[in-house]
Amino acid sequence: MASDPSRTGTSLNQSAPIVKPLQEKKRASTSEKQLDAKTLRRLAQNREAAKKSRLRKKAYVQQLESSRMKLTQLEQELQRARSQGLLLGSSGGVVGNISSGAAMCDMEYARWLEDDERHMSELRTGLHSNLSDTDLRLMVNTYLSHYDENFRLKGMAAKFDVFHLLTGMWTSPAERCFLWMGGFRPSELIKILISQLDPLTEQQLMGICSLQHSSQQAEEALSQGLEQLQQSLIDTVAGGPAIDGMQQMAIALSKLANLEGFVRQADNLRQQTLHQLPRILTVRQAARCFLVIGEYYARLRALSSLWASRPRGRLMSDEQPCQTTTELQMVQPSQSHFSHF
């Protein structure tokens, strides 16, 4: 049966407009696929970053748990040794010239220094590899927690042997020169940082200067309190024969117990200062800030090592002219003692 040409033409004419919408639909589908590819790639990057963040947090939690277990083990060993009569507490018993609490403090601080080198290396790598601000902030927070752990360890050490902590025998000799109440002086540390963190905005500079001023006021208040305690202790110990000896020592011991409180307050001030700095600085400035602090104390420890290994015989021969010059200045009162400066 022959088909009707007119009907066939009509059918072709009706199907012709359908081709264009199909092409447009195909192009829209292609653009959607491209858009989806970009979105998927971005989502994959976000998932990878989140995975890395979770791994870092997991490693940090494991490290804290390991440190807690080590501390618990050390406390158990010390308690067992005391019960066996091998060690006495910080009330006077010592192993050699170091009390058991001081020995634990030194051991834990040595472990903390090892971790500090690793954290500094991570910060340095993060700054040089242009990490995102999110990842860098996580590293800064981890470093802050690392310092928090040190303050917690020092709090335990102060209970065992506050004298060991105050005299700085757990640090290197060069660090000991700049010690204030068992640690760094916050206002002096801020002074070092200001010159190392340029450029700073006017608002940041005002914030840091305000932090330095408040830290200095708190330091002066603590120093005055410690001086009053020392004077009170001198008066008690040198009370004279009219006071009963046992009563005199009991009063002196009760006053000595206040030393732990001063060390704790000083450490609280140090801790607050370190936590306040990242709130004023950008995340990259904060990373540089902690890197500067770590490198500064690493140089002081290196200086101590160089001083200990110096050729002493040669230095003694070199000291003779200096001693003669000093003696000449002493016999000439009209000349200023500070003229050579």
Side-chain angles (χ1 to χ4, degrees):
M1 183 176 177
S3 58
D4 188 355
S6 61
R7 184 177 297 178
T8 306
T10 304
S11 176
L12 289 173
N13 291 335
Q14 287 175 353
S15 63
I18 301 176
V19 177
K20 190 173 181 181
L22 286 174
Q23 291 176 347
E24 291 177 353
K25 186 176 182 181
K26 187 176 181 181
R27 282 197 296 269
S29 177
T30 305
S31 64
E32 285 176 3
K33 286 181 180 178
Q34 292 176 351
L35 181 63
D36 288 344
K38 290 180 182 179
T39 305
L40 288 172
R41 189 163 56 250
R42 193 178 299 113
L43 288 172
Q45 291 174 350
N46 291 342
R47 282 196 298 271
E48 186 66 23
K51 182 180 177 182
K52 289 180 180 179
S53 176
R54 286 194 299 271
L55 288 173
R56 288 195 194 96
K57 288 180 180 178
K58 184 179 179 181
Y60 174 64
V61 169
Q62 288 175 346
Q63 180 188 352
L64 283 181
E65 182 64 22
S66 176
S67 300
R68 188 187 66 79
M69 290 176 65
K70 285 181 181 178
L71 279 175
T72 303
Q73 185 180 359
L74 278 171
E75 289 174 357
Q76 290 173 351
E77 290 175 358
L78 288 171
Q79 189 63 34
R80 185 166 55 252
R82 288 194 188 97
S83 64
Q84 294 172 357
L86 299 176
L87 293 173
L88 298 176
S90 60
S91 58
V94 295
V95 181
N97 290 324
I98 302 178
S99 69
S100 58
M104 187 185 76
C105 172
D106 291 350
M107 193 178 351
E108 287 302 310
Y109 182 66
R111 182 193 59 79
W112 185 87
L113 284 179
E114 292 177 1
D115 290 343
D116 190 60
E117 291 178 5
R118 179 174 57 81
H119 285 298
M120 282 179 59
S121 177
E122 289 177 355
L123 269 182
R124 197 178 291 109
T125 303
L127 280 171
H128 292 164
S129 61
N130 294 322
L131 278 182
S132 66
D133 286 355
T134 303
D135 290 338
L136 202 56
R137 188 175 299 281
L138 181 62
M139 295 177 71
V140 169
N141 291 338
T142 303
Y143 203 37
L144 264 177
S145 300
H146 170 63
Y147 267 100
D148 288 342
E149 182 188 2
N150 184 41
F151 291 126
R152 185 177 62 84
L153 292 172
K154 285 177 67 181
M156 292 178 60
K159 290 182 178 179
F160 286 119
D161 193 340
V162 70
F163 293 108
H164 187 74
L165 205 61
L166 270 174
T167 54
M169 298 307 294
W170 48 284
T171 61
S172 63
E175 289 176 280
R176 233 171 280 158
C177 288
F178 307 101
L179 213 62
W180 173 76
M181 290 194 185
F184 63 85
R185 189 183 286 268
S187 62
E188 290 296 328
L189 191 67
I190 294 172
K191 191 183 298 183
I192 294 170
L193 292 172
I194 289 176
S195 61
Q196 297 284 335
L197 294 176
D198 284 338
L200 292 169
T201 65
E202 185 177 352
Q203 186 177 1
Q204 286 177 325
L205 192 58
M206 287 177 61
I208 289 181
C209 289
S210 175
L211 179 62
Q212 184 183 19
H213 180 66
S214 60
S215 298
Q216 198 166 7
Q217 286 182 324
E219 290 164 13
E220 289 174 359
L222 283 172
S223 296
Q224 289 176 5
L226 184 60
E227 288 175 5
Q228 291 173 1
L229 175 63
Q230 290 171 340
Q231 186 59 50
S232 175
L233 191 61
I234 290 171
D235 295 340
T236 301
V237 174
I243 302 176
D244 178 69
M246 292 299 294
Q247 183 184 2
Q248 191 176 11
M249 288 299 103
I251 296 172
L253 282 173
S254 66
K255 291 184 177 181
L256 274 180
N258 294 322
L259 284 175
E260 183 184 337
F262 278 101
V263 172
R264 284 185 179 278
Q265 290 181 69
D267 271 350
N268 285 338
L269 179 60
R270 285 184 272 265
Q271 191 173 17
Q272 290 171 14
T273 303
L274 290 179
H275 277 267
Q276 197 67 25
L277 284 168
R279 297 170 187 167
I280 300 172
L281 304 171
T282 65
V283 63
R284 296 195 172 276
Q285 286 174 332
R288 281 172 53 203
C289 161
F290 289 118
L291 200 57
V292 167
I293 294 172
E295 288 176 346
Y296 171 70
Y297 283 102
R299 290 190 193 107
L300 284 181
R301 289 190 292 273
L303 183 62
S304 295
S305 299
L306 289 171
W307 176 256
S309 60
R310 72 193 186 282
R312 303 188 182 186
R314 182 179 174 184
L315 282 177
M316 286 179 67
S317 63
D318 290 344
E319 285 173 0
Q320 293 300 325
C322 296
Q323 184 178 1
T324 306
T325 305
T326 306
E327 289 172 355
L328 284 173
Q329 289 176 347
M330 290 177 68
V331 297
Q332 295 178 1
S334 60
Q335 186 176 359
S336 171
H337 289 287
F338 301 100
S339 60
H340 63 285
F341 288 105

